Structures are given as structure tokens and as C-alpha cells.
Amino acid sequence: NAPGTAGTTAVSPNSDSTVSSSAVSHDAYDVVKVDDVTEYGARATLFRHKKTGAEVLSVEKDDENKVFGIVFRTPPTDSTGIPHILEHSVLCGSRKYTVKEPFTELMKSSLNTF
């Protein structure tokens, strides 16, 4: 089971108290914070993995469109620009994948469908 949503706005990550009767818990995660995002009619819950400290943000909304994203912080250790060069190298296409600007191509179709 993936981490779920709690029914409160702030929770101490080390608290032994029950969050609320509507809380969904997970043995491997602490609920750090829960916020209602009224502008979007959504609820955001921030979880912290007990063992690794990794954070998981769950945004729930009653919507048929489902999406997820995984992000890793990768701060550079110097200012040589190597990560930026690699980014352009990876995204510039290849013989098999000839699209030179994948994000521009995505904007022409998938983002304009909403």
C-alpha cells in the first residue's frame, strides 16, 4: 500500500497520536503536513519515509486525469556546466529518436488538449 491522506493540517512526524478518524497511515511513512488547496479543489499530503527521509507529496483531486512525477535533487558539485551539457546531449535526439526538441513537440499536442 502506498501512503495515504490524513484529515488534518499539520502533524508532528514523530507523534504517536492519531491524526484523525479519516487518516490513512503507512508503517514506513510519517505524515508531515496536510493542506487543502482550495484553488484546485485538492488535498496535498507530505509524507517522509522513516528510514531514508525521502519525501513524497501526494495531491488528491476528484479528476479523471491521473498523473505522477518523480523528482530527484541533483545539485552540481561544481560550476563546470557538465549536467547542463548532458541534458542537451540526451535531449537532442538520436538516429532512433529524431526529435531535436521533445518538449516543444509535447507542447504542440498533449498540453493543448486540456
Side-chain angles (χ1 to χ4, degrees), residues 44-61:
T45 306
L46 179 62
F47 297 91
R48 184 169 293 121
H49 190 255
K50 292 176 182 178
K51 186 173 180 180
T52 65
E55 293 180 339
V56 176
L57 178 63
S58 170
V59 180
E60 293 183 67
K61 179 177 170 68

Side-chain angles (χ1 to χ4, degrees), residues 18-67:
T18 303
V19 175
S20 79
S21 60
S22 65
V24 176
S25 63
H26 191 284
D27 291 340
Y29 292 86
D30 287 319
V31 176
V32 177
K33 187 174 184 180
V34 178
D35 279 321
D36 287 321
V37 186
T38 55
E39 296 88 352
Y40 297 104
R43 170 167 281 179
T45 306
L46 179 62
F47 297 91
R48 184 169 293 121
H49 190 255
K50 292 176 182 178
K51 186 173 180 180
T52 65
E55 293 180 339
V56 176
L57 178 63
S58 170
V59 180
E60 293 183 67
K61 179 177 170 68
D62 187 21
D63 191 326
E64 64 184 49
N65 296 297
K66 306 299 181 203
V67 66

